[in-house]
Amino acid sequence: MSSLIMGLVVLTSSRDASIRMRQFLNELELVIPNAIKVNRGKSSIVEIAGKALSLGANKILYVGSRGGNPGFIRFLRVREGIIEVMPYLIRIFGVKLLMDMPVSITNKQRARNGVIVSLGEYVELMDVLSEQLELPSMRVYDFESIRGMYDVIFLIHRVKDAYELQVLNGRDLGPTAHL
């Protein structure tokens, strides 16, 4: 599948990130095709924005913590001298990392392309993620119809009053990560 030219997205977290938060960012870096992790350390968000611009990125995906675990995602857009906080806040109520899964994931290659998918229903979250991660999105009724077309599939589905995001291997539809 030919890949679209995507802008780079910088991944970062709150200061003094826990081991679990750092692992979450490591896994995100593998599954978001155009992402690069920048360790926050003691850097201010202004310094991270400067680093993003020096890397050629104009977007930052910022993961904040809640009790040492990933708690929310904010999106920032950066230009020279400007940091714009986008009006999207994704709350994270639970994360299942690769090390938490009962199956062993041995192939941890970086994804070259991906798609955001909803099964049947329209979900606004698809549009937000598509815009912010610069990945295509689609509703599908037959999940098998996209098998093998992308390295990674971000599957969104409703669970009660919230949404669950599963990150699947696009070739075998097995787990890559579960957010």
Side-chain angles (χ1 to χ4, degrees):
M1 168 132 234
S2 66
S3 60
L4 301 169
I5 296 177
M6 297 179 281
L8 194 62
V9 176
V10 165
L11 306 173
T12 197
S13 67
S14 50
R15 290 184 173 142
D16 297 324
S18 67
I19 292 170
R20 194 155 177 83
M21 175 75 87
R22 290 192 305 267
Q23 183 62 34
F24 179 69
L25 289 173
N26 289 340
E27 290 182 20
L28 282 180
E29 186 179 32
L30 285 174
V31 298
I32 299 174
N34 51 334
I36 184 166
K37 182 180 81 166
V38 173
N39 291 324
R40 176 90 184 262
K42 295 183 187 230
S43 300
S44 70
I45 202 67
V46 172
E47 292 169 315
I48 296 296
K51 176 77 172 172
L53 288 171
S54 72
L55 291 168
N58 65 353
K59 293 183 178 180
I60 298 173
L61 187 150
Y62 172 86
V63 181
S65 68
R66 186 179 67 222
N69 287 310
F72 65 90
I73 296 174
R74 296 278 345 202
F75 299 98
L76 300 106
R77 190 177 311 155
V78 295
R79 296 188 302 273
E80 200 60 49
I82 298 173
I83 301 172
E84 180 183 4
V85 178
M86 303 307 291
Y88 314 118
L89 174 70
I90 298 175
R91 294 194 189 282
I92 302 172
F93 294 107
V95 171
K96 190 180 283 186
L97 300 171
L98 291 176
M99 64 185 175
D100 299 331
M101 294 190 181
V103 295
S104 177
I105 311 289
T106 56
N107 186 7
K108 295 183 183 177
Q109 292 182 347
R110 184 168 178 77
R112 294 175 313 233
N113 57 49
V115 64
I116 299 160
V117 170
S118 173
L119 289 175
E121 68 177 317
Y122 168 76
V123 177
E124 186 178 1
L125 182 57
M126 281 181 5
D127 294 339
V128 170
L129 290 174
S130 178
E131 176 187 337
Q132 297 304 309
L133 301 180
E134 298 186 22
L135 294 174
S137 66
M138 66 179 80
R139 286 187 305 171
V140 296
Y141 296 94
D142 174 13
F143 202 57
E144 288 293 321
S145 66
I146 59 169
R147 180 193 291 258
M149 293 176 62
Y150 299 92
D151 288 347
V152 67
I153 297 169
F154 295 86
L155 174 63
I156 300 169
H157 55 91
R158 184 180 298 274
V159 178
K160 297 183 183 175
D161 293 333
Y163 294 102
E164 183 176 76
L165 176 64
Q166 290 180 296
V167 184
L168 304 173
N169 179 311
R171 289 178 227 40
D172 64 13
L173 305 180
T176 297
H178 190 95
L179 313 174

